[in-house]
Amino acid sequence: NDLAYESQSRNSVIRQTLSGAVQSIKPKLTQLAIASRDQVTAIEQLGSDAIQSFNQANNNVALHSADGTLLRGEVLARWQDFVGTGDFMRAIEQNFSWLRDRVTGVFRTSVEVDKVQVAVGAGLEALVVEEGAAACERAETAWRSSPAGRYLLERNPGLSQVSDGFNEKVTRQIRGWQQDVLELVSDQGQARRSKARLLAFGTNGLGVALMIVIFASTGGLTGAEIGVAGGTSVLAQRLLEVVFGENAIRDLAKEAKEKLDARIKAVFDAELARYQKAIDDVDIAFESADRIESALSTISDAAIAKLFTAGVETEPKITTDIAISDEPAR
């Protein structure tokens, strides 16, 4: 009985000691779980801030490359030099033969076509570069508002501006898009009905006209610019309708705009990847809080007691058997 009592007492002391130790740890584990979850939330917010910054840049370029904003300055001047205004507009209103005779010489002037292409490319590049820089500034401002963000910016100081070579990447994508437009025009002109007219005006000239149509809406312009840019887009639209037809132009413009948006998105996605890499380089165990909370849910006095129940005996078994030997006593 004494042995049983001692065993029970010993187990009781162990249970109480372990229970006290566990109970003292539980608040600390709870705080650790909260801190771990807060850390994950902060990191996820940084990722979301960066994504929103570059999504806004994408949206701004998509908007301003279609609202008439680019039909200003150098682009407008070079286009007007290329086609003129009054005579060309009147030519479009006449039959195709008369139009072809009046403007074929103009559209065969590759120097003028090149000037329009250069102006269009420069306008787009300036817009994309400006929006890329603005996206980096927005992301930096958002990240500096939190300790986690400031820590990542200190580790990655280059995130405060666009990456090295960003402007060159933009230039390559814009030139690639202009080539996309020329290929679309060339493919569309392979139909028998359009082929002669394509040859008359030239792929490059019609490609430039399609670029102008894509920038055609005047929603972003005010005052006198509306009339000038609006007339410019009408010139390009009418010319393309003469060659390809009204329905084909809508499809061409839609596809060309989608190709432009995709190329610009690729540029911004590459910039956004730098921010995601900065986050990924920090070793964050996203599942730590869940594991800690799961462990806490299994800790209880009943669970601790259960560890000892199976091994506790109410009365120790005392052996009273006497060993009998065959050997004679000495």
Side-chain angles (χ1 to χ4, degrees):
N1 289 337
D2 289 342
L3 292 175
Y5 176 76
E6 289 179 4
S7 177
Q8 291 174 347
S9 297
R10 183 172 59 254
N11 286 333
S12 177
V13 170
I14 293 174
R15 280 198 302 272
Q16 291 176 7
T17 302
L18 182 57
S19 177
V22 170
Q23 294 303 324
S24 68
I25 291 175
K26 286 177 70 174
K28 297 178 181 179
L29 289 177
T30 300
Q31 293 176 359
L32 182 60
I34 293 173
S36 179
R37 196 168 296 284
D38 288 345
Q39 185 181 55
V40 170
T41 299
I43 289 296
E44 289 177 342
Q45 183 61 51
L46 294 178
S48 177
D49 289 338
I51 290 172
Q52 289 179 10
S53 295
F54 283 94
N55 279 348
Q56 184 175 339
N58 261 314
N59 293 338
N60 287 346
V61 172
L63 173 65
H64 295 314
S65 60
D67 69 354
T69 299
L70 292 176
L71 294 181
R72 298 174 173 178
E74 191 69 12
V75 174
L76 188 59
R78 298 289 74 77
W79 171 254
Q80 289 177 337
D81 289 345
F82 177 46
V83 299
T85 52
D87 289 342
F88 187 80
M89 189 65 180
R90 285 191 293 273
I92 289 177
E93 301 296 342
Q94 305 298 321
N95 60 60
F96 169 70
S97 297
W98 195 85
L99 172 63
R100 178 192 58 201
D101 294 339
R102 290 297 299 270
V103 301
T104 293
V106 176
F107 275 77
R108 290 296 188 183
T109 306
S110 60
V111 173
E112 296 299 329
V113 175
D114 290 344
K115 287 181 180 179
V116 181
Q117 283 185 302
V118 169
V120 167
L124 272 173
E125 288 170 26
L127 174 62
V128 176
V129 168
E130 179 182 354
E131 288 297 335
C136 291
E137 291 177 5
R138 285 191 295 269
E140 181 189 18
T141 299
W143 282 27
R144 288 201 181 281
S145 66
S146 73
R150 290 192 293 273
Y151 170 74
L152 290 182
L153 287 172
E154 289 174 2
R155 288 183 47 150
N156 304 273
L159 295 181
S160 61
Q161 58 189 5
V162 295
S163 62
D164 293 338
F166 176 73
N167 291 15
E168 289 75 12
K169 293 175 185 176
V170 173
T171 298
R172 286 196 297 271
Q173 289 290 2
I174 297 303
R175 289 177 180 173
W177 173 70
Q178 290 180 320
Q179 186 60 40
D180 291 340
V181 171
L182 297 181
E183 290 175 0
L184 286 173
V185 169
S186 179
D187 291 344
Q188 186 67 33
Q190 296 309 306
R192 178 180 297 180
R193 180 175 178 273
S194 303
K195 194 167 186 177
R197 299 182 179 188
L198 175 66
L199 293 174
F201 296 116
T203 300
N204 288 354
L206 294 173
V208 165
L210 181 56
M211 295 174 200
I212 296 298
V213 167
I214 292 169
F215 306 153
S217 172
T218 57
L221 303 179
T222 59
E225 287 181 318
I226 293 179
V228 175
T232 299
S233 65
V234 169
L235 286 173
Q237 179 81 23
R238 294 286 181 82
L239 170 63
L240 292 168
E241 288 176 0
V242 166
V243 178
F244 299 121
E246 183 177 351
N247 292 334
I249 294 310
R250 283 196 295 267
D251 293 340
L252 277 175
K254 181 176 181 294
E255 186 173 356
K257 185 60 167 63
E258 289 173 350
K259 287 180 177 292
L260 173 61
D261 292 344
R263 284 183 175 274
I264 300 309
K265 185 177 185 302
V267 172
F268 287 144
D269 282 351
E271 291 298 295
L272 175 60
R274 298 188 302 140
Y275 294 81
Q276 189 58 55
K277 183 179 184 302
I279 292 173
D280 293 341
D281 286 345
V282 179
D283 188 14
I284 300 294
F286 287 87
E287 69 281 1
S288 292
D290 292 336
R291 289 206 304 264
I292 294 171
E293 290 173 351
S294 176
L296 279 169
S297 68
T298 65
I299 296 175
S300 66
D301 290 338
I304 295 170
K306 187 176 180 181
L307 295 174
F308 296 91
T309 300
V312 175
E313 296 177 346
T314 55
E315 291 187 11
K317 182 179 180 180
I318 301 175
T319 302
T320 57
D321 296 338
I322 299 175
I324 300 176
S325 175
D326 292 335
E327 296 182 4
R330 295 180 181 178

